[in-house]
Structures are given as C-alpha cells and as structure tokens.
C-alpha cells in the first residue's frame, strides 16, 4: 500500500430543509418564531484512504455514507472540514480548478437503470466523459478507447450502437463501470454498486471491479449497507451511524473482532451458513432523526451498554491497537 491518496479531516455537512418563509414559521411558548430545520448528515468525520486500497463505508440507510461520498467528490459543498487529494486541498476549489480532479475521481451509481441516459447509445454514453476531459483527442482514439474499455468490462464492442434498454441490469452496470473507466481515473467511489442487482450477478460485478483494480492500480471507496458484500473485497472498513464514524479497522480485524456495540449488532445480523442465529443482537428503539441528534454518543439511545457519561459526552475516535479505531467510552 502506498501514500495517502485521500485525506478527510473533521468533515461536517448539514442540509437546511426549512423550506420557504411561511414553512419556517412556528408557535413556541405563545410566540410566533422562525424555525430552521437542519439535517446533520456528517458530524466531524475524519479518515484517510491509501493509494491502491479498497476502503468500504457501511451503515444503515440515512447514516450519511452517500452524503460523505458526494461531499468528497465535490457534488455537495462541505459545511466545514478539509478534503485533500494527493496532498492538495480540494474542498475549497472553484469548479474550473476542480476539473482535473474530476477526471481522476469517478463515481459508479447504485441504479444502472437510472444512471444511464435512455436516449444515448452505449457509444455516445462512453464518449461523453472523454470528449469533455480530453478536448484534443481524435475520433479514432475515442473509438479505440471505447473498444478497449468495453472489452475490459465484458461487453462486446459491436454493441456500441445499442441503447440501455437492450441490456440486462448486470450489463448496464458494466456499462456504468466502463463510463467511469473511460477517463483513466485513479479513485472510484462506488455507491451501492451491486445492491440493485440479482445475487448471481453481484459476484460477477465485484470480480470485474477487483480485476480492474489490479490492472489499473485503482483505489476504491465502496459505499454499502450490506456488510457481507464488503467482507472479502475490502482492505479497511469504516462503520457509520448518524453521520459519525463509529469504528474503522482492517477488514479482517473488524469482522473477527468488532469492538463498537453498533458494529457488533450489525455483524450479528449477517446470516452464516451452518451457524445458529442465537448470537443475534437486537437493538432497541428506532434510529434517531439526524435533525435532532442525541447529546453525547449518537448511539446512546439504542446501546445496551450506555451509561451516564454516554448521554453527556461525545466519544472521540481512538486507536485501540492494530490500526483499529473506535469511538466508544467502553
Ligand atoms: Fe454505547 Fe456509550 Fe459506547 Fe456509545 S459510548 S457505543 S453509548 S457504550
């Protein structure tokens, strides 16, 4: 593994969902006041990703993992915090200055049915990013590049004139991967890349991504709610809950020795062939709303080990050895 490719320091992202002036008005103690409703999507998130690694971010829906991915790629401006790519700060760059990084950092979306333009052929879909990022490229070079990438993802280059509806879900996801590879990226964020696919196709797409990583030296950030997907492909895994990083560890270490109570509960829910479900940890209550986060530890309302201090103070992410970080007073 090489140097840090991506560094995220104390990243905070909030969304103001107050709506218009009239929607903000509310009565409180008999007075008419203007109320702002803020979703706290990312709360002081810090980590690094080394060049060549597969870094997975897992957590339930609404934990902030997709917001994290989009903020890193510059699709959302952060509230505060810093993002460095190859030691260069990128969170404060203008759109123009961000352009060279956009070709190095690509994204694969969850839904291959929605992420491809139904009116564009495969050829048109694949030529779009390369024509945008490499203005001086010739038509011949574009054609050659499209053939090369289509072959790499297992789609016959002769199908370049077909439209997305003529392909299956797995083939469409291969085309989405091809689109990301067209500009020779270094870093790919894959947001739930296999969750919309049949189980039999999931392994093929994961294998394709792993092969592309070996051939091109890619660095991946995988976003998923499915821990079983990341177990065998990840170098390190980060677990998020309500916009907070609860645990971060090398994949093997996290799956064999989870330390945070939330990770323990998540892992206990993975069905294993030949194992009894007696160890399944059932969490009490619902996930609190990110509009009204609990004070202290964000997991305190559902944690079976919560004590008084957990309700008052926020635990910080600490290294407990073997590059295993947890944010828990235990
Ligand atoms: Fe549970 Fe307290 Fe640890 Fe939070 S800090 S996970 S509430 S024990």
């Amino acid at each position: 593994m090489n140097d840090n490719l991506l560094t995220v320091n104390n990243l905070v992202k909030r969304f103001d969902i107050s709506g218009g002036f009239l929607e903000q008005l509310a009565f409180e103690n008999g007075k008419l006041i203007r109320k702002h409703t803020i979703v706290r999507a990312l709360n002081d998130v810090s980590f690094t990703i080394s060049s060549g690694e597969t870094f997975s971010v897992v957590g339930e829906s609404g934990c902030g993992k997709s917001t994290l991915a989009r903020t890193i790629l510059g699709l959302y401006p952060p509230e505060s915090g810093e993002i460095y790519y190859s030691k260069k700060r990128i969170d404060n760059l203008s759109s123009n200055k961000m352009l060279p990084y956009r070709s190095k950092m690509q994204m694969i979306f969850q839904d291959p049915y929605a992420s491809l333009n139904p009116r564009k052929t495969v050829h048109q879909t694949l030529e779009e990013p390369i024509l945008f990022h490499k203005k001086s490229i010739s038509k011949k070079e574009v054609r050659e590049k499209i053939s090369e990438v289509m072959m790499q993802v297992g789609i016959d280059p002769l199908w370049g004139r077909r439209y997305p509806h003529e392909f299956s879900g797995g083939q469409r996801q291969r085309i989405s991967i091809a689109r990301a590879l067209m500009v020779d990226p270094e870093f790919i964020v894959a947001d739930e890349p296999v969750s919309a696919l049949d189980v039999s196709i999931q392994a093929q797409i994961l294998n394709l991504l792993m092969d592309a990583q070996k051939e091109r030296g890619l660095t991946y950030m995988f976003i998923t709610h499915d821990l079983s997907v990341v177990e065998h492909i990840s170098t390190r895994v980060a677990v998020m809950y309500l916009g907070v990083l609860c645990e971060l560890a090398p994949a093997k270490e996290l799956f064999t020795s989870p330390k945070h109570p939330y990770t323990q509960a998540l892992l206990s829910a993975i069905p294993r062939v030949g194992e009894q479900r007696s160890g399944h940890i059932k969490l009490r209550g619902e996930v609190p709303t990110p509009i009204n986060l609990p004070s202290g530890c964000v997991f305190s309302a559902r944690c079976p080990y919560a004590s008084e201090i957990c309700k008052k103070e926020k635990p910080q992410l600490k290294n407990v050895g073997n590059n295993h970080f947890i944010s828990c007073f235990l």
Side-chain angles (χ1 to χ4, degrees), residues 260-261 297 299-300 303 305-306 310 315 328-330:
H260 194 283
C297 173
F299 190 54
S300 57
C303 179
Y305 311 106
C310 306
C328 175
F329 293 117
L330 285 182

Side-chain angles (χ1 to χ4, degrees), residues 153-166:
V153 300
I155 299 282
D156 190 333
L158 294 174
W159 296 350
R161 287 198 187 161
R162 295 190 183 183
Y163 288 86
H165 73 267
E166 296 176 75

Side-chain angles (χ1 to χ4, degrees), residues 5 49-50 52-56 108 177 181 186-190 206 208-214 218-222 233:
L5 184 68
I49 299 181
S50 302
E53 94 169 308
T54 302
F55 183 91
S56 296
I108 298 166
I177 293 168
L181 295 179
E186 299 169 345
F187 176 63
I188 292 186
V189 175
L206 289 175
L208 169 61
L209 289 167
M210 293 302 108
D211 289 345
Q213 183 177 43
K214 268 188 222 142
L218 294 167
T219 305
Y220 286 133
M221 180 171 164
F222 257 83
I233 59 164

Side-chain angles (χ1 to χ4, degrees), residues 102-115:
R102 290 209 188 284
S103 65
K104 290 179 182 172
M105 305 163 80
Q106 289 290 305
M107 187 157 183
I108 298 166
F109 294 92
Q110 174 181 4
D111 187 353
Y113 292 89
S115 65

Side-chain angles (χ1 to χ4, degrees), residues 109-245:
F109 294 92
Q110 174 181 4
D111 187 353
Y113 292 89
S115 65
L116 296 175
N117 187 336
R119 292 189 189 151
K120 286 189 175 170
T121 62
V122 175
H123 193 286
Q124 288 167 332
T125 298
L126 296 185
E127 73 178 1
E128 197 173 33
I130 201 163
L131 290 177
F132 181 77
H133 286 289
K134 295 184 182 171
K135 308 274 184 222
S136 57
I137 195 165
S138 69
K139 283 186 178 174
K140 184 171 173 272
E141 285 170 316
V142 172
R143 277 199 306 274
E144 285 169 359
K145 185 77 187 167
I146 289 174
S147 292
E148 175 207 319
V149 171
M150 283 180 79
M151 277 195 289
Q152 187 175 8
V153 300
I155 299 282
D156 190 333
L158 294 174
W159 296 350
R161 287 198 187 161
R162 295 190 183 183
Y163 288 86
H165 73 267
E166 296 176 75
F167 293 93
S168 67
Q171 287 172 325
R172 287 185 202 203
Q173 198 57 311
R174 286 174 188 270
I175 296 166
S176 301
I177 293 168
R179 181 176 53 188
L181 295 179
M182 279 302 291
V183 287
D184 295 327
E186 299 169 345
F187 176 63
I188 292 186
V189 175
D191 189 0
E192 304 269 12
V194 295
S195 59
L197 304 174
D198 292 344
V199 177
S200 57
I201 308 293
Q202 288 185 359
Q204 293 174 17
I205 297 296
L206 289 175
N207 285 338
L208 169 61
L209 289 167
M210 293 302 108
D211 289 345
Q213 183 177 43
K214 268 188 222 142
E215 281 167 35
R216 295 167 170 258
L218 294 167
T219 305
Y220 286 133
M221 180 171 164
F222 257 83
I223 308 286
T224 182
H225 66 277
D226 188 347
L227 274 160
S228 54
V229 163
V230 301
E231 184 171 357
H232 302 290
I233 59 164
S234 310
T235 322
R236 287 185 301 148
V237 179
V239 182
M240 277 187 85
Y241 183 79
L242 277 180
V244 172
L245 225 57

Side-chain angles (χ1 to χ4, degrees), residues 39-53:
V39 173
R40 295 165 197 277
L42 296 177
N43 302 295
D44 206 9
V45 175
S46 301
F47 60 88
T48 58
I49 299 181
S50 302
S51 197
E53 94 169 308

